[in-house]
Amino acid sequence: MRFFTNLSSLSQRRVLQLRNLLFVLALLPLARLAAFGFLGRLGANPIEFIMRNTGDWALYFLCITLAVTPLRKLTRWNWLVRLRRMLGLYAFFYVALHFTIFFWLDHFFDVQEMWADIVKRPFITVGVLAFALLIPLAITSTNGMVRRLGGKRWQWLHRLTYVIVPLGVLHFWWVKAGKNLLAQPILFSAIVALLLLARVLSEKNRERLAQLWSRRGAGNTETTGTVLMKEGK
């Protein structure tokens, strides 16, 4: 219990150290790919290996980013919010790498061929759509953009995450379904479903609390008015 209590009250210095550590750790999958390429360990189909690896890590970071708010509410570790933006940007980074490899190594920058592939194959269509929706979130991830858009508009825009992550899971599902490998897609689907359910329940609880407080406020106002009328004021 003391361990969790200590974590709930991390100092700004500790949070910054943790943030820096996560920044470095999040680059390890890319470093691993670079090392495998240098050592010739990318397998018989290097393009597929790199595509699969970057796609997997993109989905991992998307799910981790989605998990920040439910985990914060469950543990009361409010400092987790300070890590969410960085995790989201790493998700975009690996999605962008995934798409770049698809455009570069798979299609050699042939836009017409790539577009035909996107239209023809639904799992690519869904993946590209998820990437396109991530772009405005990455662009507006700075504090300056939050101020320009305003808090409410910024929040509404970044709720696209609740569309992007399921699209990412669907893309992953269709990729694995073609090889009859459904264990991981089912696991990711269950995780994302639970995270989205937690978000929905949290929103409902917030609305109920708001209604309760508004009723209490109205009740207090009526009581005060009644007293004043009795006193002739």
Side-chain angles (χ1 to χ4, degrees):
M1 288 296 293
R2 184 179 296 177
F3 172 76
F4 288 100
T5 304
N6 290 338
L7 282 179
S8 65
S9 57
L10 284 182
S11 65
Q12 290 187 356
R13 181 169 169 269
R14 291 294 184 188
V15 174
L16 182 61
Q17 289 174 343
L18 179 59
R19 192 167 178 267
N20 292 337
L21 176 61
L22 286 176
F23 182 88
V24 174
L25 291 176
L27 288 172
L28 290 181
L30 182 61
R32 176 176 174 268
L33 273 179
F36 275 28
F38 181 76
L39 297 172
R41 294 179 56 189
L42 294 177
N45 191 339
I47 296 175
E48 183 184 355
F49 185 91
I50 297 170
M51 286 275 289
R52 185 177 68 247
N53 198 267
T54 53
D56 287 352
W57 279 101
L59 190 56
Y60 297 155
F61 277 108
L62 283 172
C63 290
I64 292 169
T65 305
L66 190 63
V68 167
T69 297
L71 184 60
R72 177 182 66 83
K73 291 180 178 178
L74 181 66
T75 60
R76 300 184 185 276
W77 298 346
N78 293 323
W79 49 265
L80 284 171
V81 176
R82 297 179 60 184
L83 307 177
R84 182 172 55 192
R85 196 177 303 181
M86 183 185 71
L87 292 169
L89 285 172
Y90 263 114
F92 175 76
F93 173 70
Y94 280 104
V95 172
L97 273 180
H98 188 64
F99 177 78
T100 301
I101 292 160
F102 166 73
F103 188 29
W104 174 22
L105 299 180
D106 210 20
H107 292 286
F108 301 101
F109 299 108
D110 188 330
V111 176
Q112 188 174 356
E113 182 185 336
M114 182 193 70
W115 181 251
D117 213 11
I118 291 171
V119 173
K120 182 181 177 181
R121 304 164 81 179
F123 79 93
I124 297 179
T125 308
V126 169
V128 171
L129 178 59
F131 174 54
L133 292 175
L134 266 173
I135 293 172
L137 303 195
I139 292 172
T140 58
S141 64
T142 63
N143 290 331
M145 289 303 297
V146 176
R147 288 192 295 270
R148 286 182 189 178
L149 289 172
K152 285 188 177 181
R153 281 188 292 180
W154 187 88
Q155 284 183 343
W156 274 106
L157 176 63
H158 281 253
R159 283 181 178 178
L160 282 173
T161 305
Y162 308 130
V163 177
I164 292 166
V165 179
L167 285 175
V169 172
L170 181 59
H171 171 74
F172 184 69
W173 184 293
W174 277 342
V175 169
K176 293 293 185 179
K179 302 175 183 179
N180 292 319
L181 300 172
L182 293 178
Q184 279 187 309
I186 290 171
L187 176 61
F188 274 109
S189 299
I191 290 171
V192 170
L194 286 173
L195 291 174
L196 292 177
L197 180 62
R199 180 69 186 188
V200 170
L201 293 176
S202 175
E203 289 287 346
K204 285 185 177 180
N205 288 337
R206 189 183 303 173
E207 289 175 4
R208 286 175 182 173
L209 284 172
Q211 290 174 0
L212 180 62
W213 280 110
S214 65
R215 287 173 185 171
R216 284 184 177 180
N220 291 336
T221 302
E222 289 174 4
T223 303
T224 305
T226 303
V227 170
L228 291 173
M229 286 177 69
K230 287 181 179 179
E231 293 177 354
K233 294 182 182 179

